[in-house]
Amino acid sequence: MTIKRLILFFVLTPIAILLSVSSLFGTLQEPQFQSRLELYQTNIALQAQAWQAEDSNDENLSAIKAAILGEKPLENATRQYQQVRQSVQTNLDKAQKQLAQSQALPLPPKPLPDAPPDTKVSPQEKQGKLQKSLQQLQKLQADLDLRLGILQAKQEKTDTAIKIWHELQQSAEIDPEFRETAAVLSGIWSNPPRLLPDAQQLINKNLDGWFRYTSLIQLYQIQQRQAAFLEVQAEQQEAATQAVVKLALIGTIPTVTALTGLILLLFLIGQRLIKGKAALLAQNADLPWSTPWGGETILQVFVVGFFFMGQLFVPVLVMLLPIPRPIVNVRFQALSVLVSYIMVASGALLVLYLSLKRYFPLPENWFRFRLQDRWILWGFGGYCAALPIVVVVSLINQQLWQGQGGSNPLLQLALQSQDTVALGLFFFTAAIAAPIFEELLFRGFLLPSLTRYVPVWGAIILSSLLFAIAHLSLSEILPLTALGIVLGVVYTRSRNLLAPMLLHSLWNSGTLLSLFVLGSGN
């Protein structure tokens, strides 16, 4: 065995596996993005439920509103907020326990001046991170309590609302502004009401959306400020109208697409049962690729090209750049994400090229791009079919992880950003760069390479699992594996990389557009 193989098999590969496992389990205590996403959708639904049609007797409009919002929107929103609050409380208890344990441990002696610096995280740094995480969770919990109280008050459960706000006022760890806002809300919903100084300013600063409008309307009614009351009511109606349109968009389009996909899946499965190997799903199903390289080349591409480029080389290179940190400007954040991704992709594709160069010309069907083909139908049909499958898997996944397991940080940035330039950069990264790079690597190279050792269906499953793990988020492994299987089926049947690239691009584009719509309403 050569030195190169020894280093690859016994040094680089174990390091890559250990660091990947460590990164995956590091997301165990991180909140799942889906929980935040559902809360954003709940906020828009609350905004929309205040919508009143010009003709209040129009039954058709009332039916449309009920179809979009569902029954009992306030009760549904309360339930959603209570679930999120329970999850936050669980994380808060864990963080407090971890902080107490870290503070109980004796601190190590300081190193001598000439001693080499330790690259590990020191106990002081760990305590600092835990303290910061604790403060963020406490702030989030206080924000949720303010909102839960308003939801209870609007359902005429005033005693419950005042109790929630009173407990918030008694919490010494909370930012004083949240305690003051809780006192304001408690005052305006008390009987008789109590007006506190700076009530309007505190409501405007610490509440938004439906919660802000509801609190201001209650305040202005007590103050008997008719002009201010009418103005905020009109503003709420305008926001409610926009919210109804947004909910219709993010609800109707995915639902129609999912129904189309479900019909397509039933048709394809039925065709497979009736026609057997003559069916569309059976096309190229058992035909492996002719693969001249072995496992060493596969490891070399993924360990050196994908892992070390993405997790070590490029991050270190970016850290050395003279850029002020942390990056606050959202445009610079988006540009940083794009540049980093292109650097990782370029490095990985260079390693792929150098690893396969000695096998040129490659056998037939490798990295095949054909414009004169049915790749658009395969890509769009695959997207429709993937939607109901991934939705079902995601619902199961949420029950398994209970709001934990982390998520792609790009999603959170895209959700919170309303800057057009930043969104354009995020879109280019997710909808163009990612599909091209990831499909070249996972479907173009990995899946066909695995057919040397396992059947095509086995290669689809293995490559999909590795595709999911590569995103380094525990909560996303099941949904991304399901998506990867659909991508693999589309590629093996079409034998055209443009098809899974289109599917992948449509998937990421749909996700980003939904996030933009949700973010614009919060």
Side-chain angles (χ1 to χ4, degrees), residues 345-421:
S346 301
L349 293 177
L350 177 62
V351 172
L352 175 64
Y353 170 76
L354 294 174
S355 300
L356 303 187
K357 188 178 178 182
R358 64 193 179 104
Y359 299 104
F360 288 173
L362 298 178
E364 189 182 5
N365 285 334
W366 277 94
F367 301 106
R368 199 168 182 181
F369 295 88
R370 289 180 298 179
L371 287 173
Q372 302 299 322
D373 205 347
R374 293 184 297 177
W375 61 274
I376 294 178
L377 290 176
W378 276 107
F380 184 73
Y383 172 66
C384 293
L387 201 56
I389 293 171
V390 178
V391 165
V392 171
V393 172
S394 296
L395 290 172
I396 298 168
N397 191 60
Q398 278 182 264
Q399 297 304 312
L400 289 173
W401 289 105
Q402 294 294 316
Q404 299 303 297
S407 295
N408 189 336
L410 177 61
L411 298 178
Q412 185 64 40
L413 286 172
L415 180 64
Q416 293 175 340
S417 171
Q418 291 304 304
D419 183 275
T420 308
V421 175

Side-chain angles (χ1 to χ4, degrees), residues 258-317:
L259 284 173
T260 305
L262 191 59
I263 294 167
L264 181 61
L265 281 170
L266 292 172
F267 168 75
L268 291 172
I269 292 168
Q271 188 193 51
R272 182 75 170 89
L273 292 172
I274 295 167
K275 291 189 174 182
K277 291 190 176 181
L280 198 62
L281 269 183
Q283 179 181 314
N284 299 321
D286 301 319
L287 182 63
W289 276 258
S290 175
T291 309
W293 52 81
E296 181 185 345
T297 302
I298 299 173
L299 270 181
Q300 182 173 292
V301 170
F302 274 87
V303 171
V304 179
F306 185 77
F307 179 81
F308 279 97
M309 280 290 176
Q311 298 299 311
L312 293 175
F313 180 72
V314 171
V316 169
L317 190 62

Side-chain angles (χ1 to χ4, degrees), residues 120-431:
K120 296 180 180 179
V121 178
S122 68
Q124 294 96 327
E125 289 175 325
K126 187 177 180 181
Q127 287 179 16
K129 287 182 179 179
L130 283 170
Q131 191 68 50
K132 185 178 179 182
S133 175
L134 196 66
Q135 289 169 354
Q136 289 173 340
L137 287 168
Q138 287 170 340
K139 183 179 179 181
L140 177 57
Q141 188 182 60
D143 185 48
L144 292 170
D145 283 341
L146 289 177
R147 294 163 186 256
L148 269 169
I150 297 170
L151 284 166
Q152 298 287 6
K154 285 300 290 181
Q155 294 170 75
E156 299 183 357
K157 298 177 182 178
T158 312
D159 291 342
T160 305
I162 290 174
K163 183 182 176 183
I164 292 171
W165 293 324
H166 180 71
E167 289 175 358
L168 186 56
Q169 291 173 68
Q170 302 306 309
S171 181
E173 299 89 4
I174 303 301
D175 188 320
E177 279 199 349
F178 282 103
R179 296 202 298 269
E180 291 169 12
T181 307
V184 165
L185 295 173
S186 181
I188 62 178
W189 263 286
S190 293
N191 188 18
R194 302 187 314 274
L195 291 174
L196 298 179
D198 301 325
Q200 180 177 319
Q201 290 87 333
L202 286 166
I203 289 171
N204 280 324
K205 185 172 182 181
N206 296 308
L207 294 169
D208 56 21
W210 177 84
F211 298 96
R212 184 175 72 87
Y213 291 130
T214 303
S215 303
L216 287 175
I217 286 171
Q218 181 76 6
L219 175 66
Y220 294 153
Q221 283 178 325
I222 293 167
Q223 293 175 329
Q224 297 183 345
R225 294 168 58 188
Q226 188 66 13
F229 171 78
L230 292 173
E231 184 181 345
V232 77
Q233 224 179 21
E235 190 180 335
Q236 184 183 36
Q237 277 305 301
E238 185 180 348
T241 304
Q242 293 174 1
V244 169
V245 174
K246 288 170 184 175
L247 280 179
L249 281 173
I250 61 177
T252 305
I253 295 173
T255 301
V256 171
T257 307
L259 284 173
T260 305
L262 191 59
I263 294 167
L264 181 61
L265 281 170
L266 292 172
F267 168 75
L268 291 172
I269 292 168
Q271 188 193 51
R272 182 75 170 89
L273 292 172
I274 295 167
K275 291 189 174 182
K277 291 190 176 181
L280 198 62
L281 269 183
Q283 179 181 314
N284 299 321
D286 301 319
L287 182 63
W289 276 258
S290 175
T291 309
W293 52 81
E296 181 185 345
T297 302
I298 299 173
L299 270 181
Q300 182 173 292
V301 170
F302 274 87
V303 171
V304 179
F306 185 77
F307 179 81
F308 279 97
M309 280 290 176
Q311 298 299 311
L312 293 175
F313 180 72
V314 171
V316 169
L317 190 62
V318 170
M319 286 299 295
L320 293 175
L321 294 175
I323 301 171
R325 293 179 176 83
I327 301 174
V328 178
N329 186 288
V330 70
R331 292 187 181 184
F332 285 132
Q333 285 180 336
L335 184 61
S336 174
V337 169
L338 175 59
V339 171
S340 298
Y341 193 88
I342 289 175
M343 288 170 69
V344 170
S346 301
L349 293 177
L350 177 62
V351 172
L352 175 64
Y353 170 76
L354 294 174
S355 300
L356 303 187
K357 188 178 178 182
R358 64 193 179 104
Y359 299 104
F360 288 173
L362 298 178
E364 189 182 5
N365 285 334
W366 277 94
F367 301 106
R368 199 168 182 181
F369 295 88
R370 289 180 298 179
L371 287 173
Q372 302 299 322
D373 205 347
R374 293 184 297 177
W375 61 274
I376 294 178
L377 290 176
W378 276 107
F380 184 73
Y383 172 66
C384 293
L387 201 56
I389 293 171
V390 178
V391 165
V392 171
V393 172
S394 296
L395 290 172
I396 298 168
N397 191 60
Q398 278 182 264
Q399 297 304 312
L400 289 173
W401 289 105
Q402 294 294 316
Q404 299 303 297
S407 295
N408 189 336
L410 177 61
L411 298 178
Q412 185 64 40
L413 286 172
L415 180 64
Q416 293 175 340
S417 171
Q418 291 304 304
D419 183 275
T420 308
V421 175
L423 285 167
L425 291 169
F426 284 135
F427 186 85
F428 185 87
T429 304

